[in-house]
Amino acid sequence: MKTRRIREGVRWMGAVDWDRRLFDSLIPLPDGTSYNAYLIEGSEKTVLLDAVDPTMTDVLMFQLEDVPRIDYVVAQHAEQDHAGSIPEVLEKYQDAHVISTPRGKGMLIDLLCIDEGRMITVEDGETLSLGDRTLEFIHTPWVHWPETMSSYLEEERLLFTCDFFGSHLATTDLYVTEEWRVYEAAKRYYAEIMMPFRRVIQKNLDKVTQREIEMIAPSHGPIYDQPAFIIDAYRDWVSEEPKSEVVLPYVSMHGSTEKMVEYLVSALAQHGVKVHQFDLTVTDIGKLAIALVDAATIVVGTPTVHVGPHPLVVYASHLANILRPKLKFGSVIGSYGWSTRAVEQIADLTSNLKLEFLDPVLCEGYPREEDFRALDALADDIAKKHQEHGFSG
Ligand code: FEO
């Protein structure tokens, strides 16, 4: 992909990774991703903002063939998908220095063995003159590592944010054209990467939006030329109030738990409560993460395997626990053969969430009439709790 002009003297660079399907050996990428870098050529100095994943260094180096000089490489984030090719850039431009936050400096040295003598650190709010352009560095920690920062090109009102506001989406669109598609990709990104830092992201959101912003240019996915789209979405996702929604991840081995899940989902729907149901044997874990962004309640459906929950349920519970969504209520439903400690173990696995647990419904073998009545009571209880707290759909 060739470089693309954004404004006079400002170009998109980087690589579109169409076929990558897994990130950090953990996160599914159904739509690939991109590693966006940006070149800003001022009247006196030239800056490269971020780089690309080491697997695509050759793409960036090809784009830099017609760039005779780079004075600074701004490393907004030390993770390898943006900083991994900086050593090659420094090799080509022997006079270039790397700019990062003080915290980022140590991480770049540790992770990429960058020579300390070629590094410059910037404080929050510090500016760099490029001649006719000015770049302001805004510390935005924990989006999603401690060293992350954003950069604001004052004259053009462009905000560069690296992972913050990003979306894992491979596309030839320089700007957002299909809002629904980018919305889902950005929400998935938020859910999997940013959600554990929701409170600090609230602060970072307030901080960066004090500037007048004409575009937000992240380092994954398309550029937001209508920045209110993603700012409003983030404000909704990081808000304190969940929606009247239930997430129901489950596994069923012989059909009993599945029968209970189907019954409870129907009962909740009768109350007007939206339910996101996920069979964990087939679900994309990113879809589960997306559903956790807004939900007020999680109900885990599990059979019993050696007294505890099914291992896939253990994984999903642990994932919810570390992603720290704004869930308020929890419960467990399922079937067991002769004994179970599923409820206690799931409560332990989700301790970060500080859930109020509602009465579980566990039955021995196939569910019977009294079990369906208990599921009705659980649905009533969930609907009542959501209503009492004023959660809306
Ligand atoms: Fe896109 Fe945290 O790296």
Side-chain angles (χ1 to χ4, degrees):
M1 186 85 78
K2 290 184 176 172
T3 67
R4 298 172 78 178
R5 180 187 181 279
I6 300 171
R7 293 280 174 84
E8 184 61 36
V10 183
R11 277 192 271 168
W12 173 91
M13 293 191 155
V16 180
D17 201 342
W18 296 94
D19 300 318
R20 188 165 181 177
R21 287 292 172 268
L22 197 62
F23 199 87
D24 290 346
S25 302
L26 173 68
I27 295 167
L29 301 181
D31 301 308
T33 191
S34 66
Y35 318 108
N36 305 333
Y38 299 94
L39 189 77
I40 306 172
E41 294 172 291
S43 58
E44 292 175 16
K45 301 287 183 188
T46 297
V47 163
L48 178 67
L49 261 164
D50 291 330
V52 298
D53 191 87
T55 56
M56 302 194 102
T57 301
D58 57 331
V59 177
L60 180 66
M61 298 315 287
F62 174 74
Q63 293 165 339
L64 289 171
E65 275 183 2
D66 69 344
V67 179
R69 180 182 175 84
I70 285 180
D71 298 285
Y72 304 104
V73 180
V74 175
Q76 301 189 106
H77 179 24
E79 194 167 6
Q80 288 84 343
D81 53 323
H82 309 290
S85 55
I86 288 178
E88 282 78 4
V89 175
L90 294 180
E91 187 67 29
K92 174 175 164 80
Y93 300 100
Q94 290 288 323
D95 294 328
H97 285 80
V98 177
I99 293 178
S100 73
T101 61
R103 187 83 187 257
K105 176 180 171 182
M107 295 174 80
L108 288 160
I109 292 169
D110 290 345
L111 295 172
L112 299 169
C113 304
I114 293 176
D115 176 3
E116 187 173 1
R118 298 192 67 179
M119 298 208 59
I120 298 169
T121 61
V122 286
E123 295 302 322
D124 185 27
E126 198 170 326
T127 57
L128 175 73
S129 173
L130 310 181
D132 58 347
R133 308 291 177 91
T134 313
L135 208 48
E136 181 194 7
F137 302 107
I138 309 165
H139 287 198
T140 45
W142 294 109
V143 289
H144 58 120
W145 279 12
E147 88 300 359
T148 44
M149 70 172 177
S150 300
S151 309
Y152 180 62
L153 189 60
E154 292 179 356
E155 293 77 7
E156 302 292 339
R157 301 185 183 90
L158 298 182
L159 181 70
F160 301 91
T161 54
C162 200
D163 282 348
F164 194 16
F165 302 119
S167 61
H168 281 311
L169 190 59
T171 174
T172 53
D173 292 342
L174 185 58
Y175 304 105
V176 174
T177 58
E178 299 166 294
E179 282 199 347
W180 61 271
R181 192 163 178 239
V182 179
Y183 182 90
E184 171 148 331
K187 190 169 186 180
R188 173 187 284 263
Y189 195 92
Y190 167 81
E192 293 171 327
I193 311 267
M194 300 289 171
M195 190 155 62
F197 312 105
R198 184 170 63 85
R199 293 248 160 74
V200 76
I201 291 172
Q202 289 172 353
K203 293 195 181 83
N204 284 326
L205 195 53
D206 290 343
K207 189 174 184 180
V208 297
T209 54
Q210 285 166 11
R211 280 98 187 145
E212 198 177 328
I213 301 170
E214 288 188 13
M215 287 189 202
I216 293 178
S219 293
H220 294 292
I223 295 169
Y224 302 95
D225 54 350
Q226 305 290 329
F229 160 66
I230 194 66
I231 290 170
D232 291 348
Y234 257 72
R235 283 204 198 291
D236 181 32
W237 301 335
V238 302
S239 67
E240 293 299 325
E241 190 90 332
K243 296 183 168 57
S244 181
E245 296 182 13
V246 173
V247 174
L248 209 167
Y250 77 98
V251 173
S252 189
M253 290 162 71
H254 301 291
S256 303
T257 299
E258 185 173 38
K259 186 79 185 165
M260 298 172 78
V261 167
E262 284 171 1
Y263 190 90
L264 180 64
V265 169
S266 174
L268 286 165
Q270 292 296 317
H271 283 287
V273 176
K274 182 187 272 192
V275 187
H276 302 272
Q277 175 183 328
F278 297 101
D279 176 349
L280 293 171
T281 62
V282 295
T283 199
D284 165 357
I285 213 74
K287 290 271 188 192
L288 173 63
I290 291 171
L292 286 169
V293 171
D294 298 320
T297 298
I298 184 168
V299 177
V300 176
T302 186
T304 292
V305 179
H306 299 302
V307 188
H310 189 284
L312 290 175
V313 168
V314 171
Y315 175 61
S317 301
H318 175 69
L319 191 71
N321 195 50
I322 59 172
L323 291 179
R324 295 174 182 260
K326 45 194 170 189
L327 292 164
K328 303 293 182 203
F329 306 103
S331 192
V332 179
I333 65 173
S335 164
Y336 61 96
W338 47 95
S339 71
T340 178
R341 294 196 61 245
V343 175
E344 299 93 306
Q345 292 188 19
I346 290 169
D348 282 349
L349 286 164
T350 55
S351 61
N352 282 347
L353 303 178
K354 301 187 171 36
L355 299 172
E356 178 182 335
F357 267 86
L358 309 178
D359 287 343
V361 183
L362 297 171
C363 67
E364 202 167 346
Y366 201 75
R368 295 179 172 74
E369 195 51 35
E370 64 268 25
D371 304 310
F372 294 120
R373 296 293 74 79
L375 290 168
D376 281 330
L378 178 58
D380 291 349
D381 203 11
I382 290 169
K384 190 162 153 241
K385 293 279 185 190
H386 287 195
Q387 198 170 26
E388 282 170 0
H389 286 75
F391 302 151
S392 55

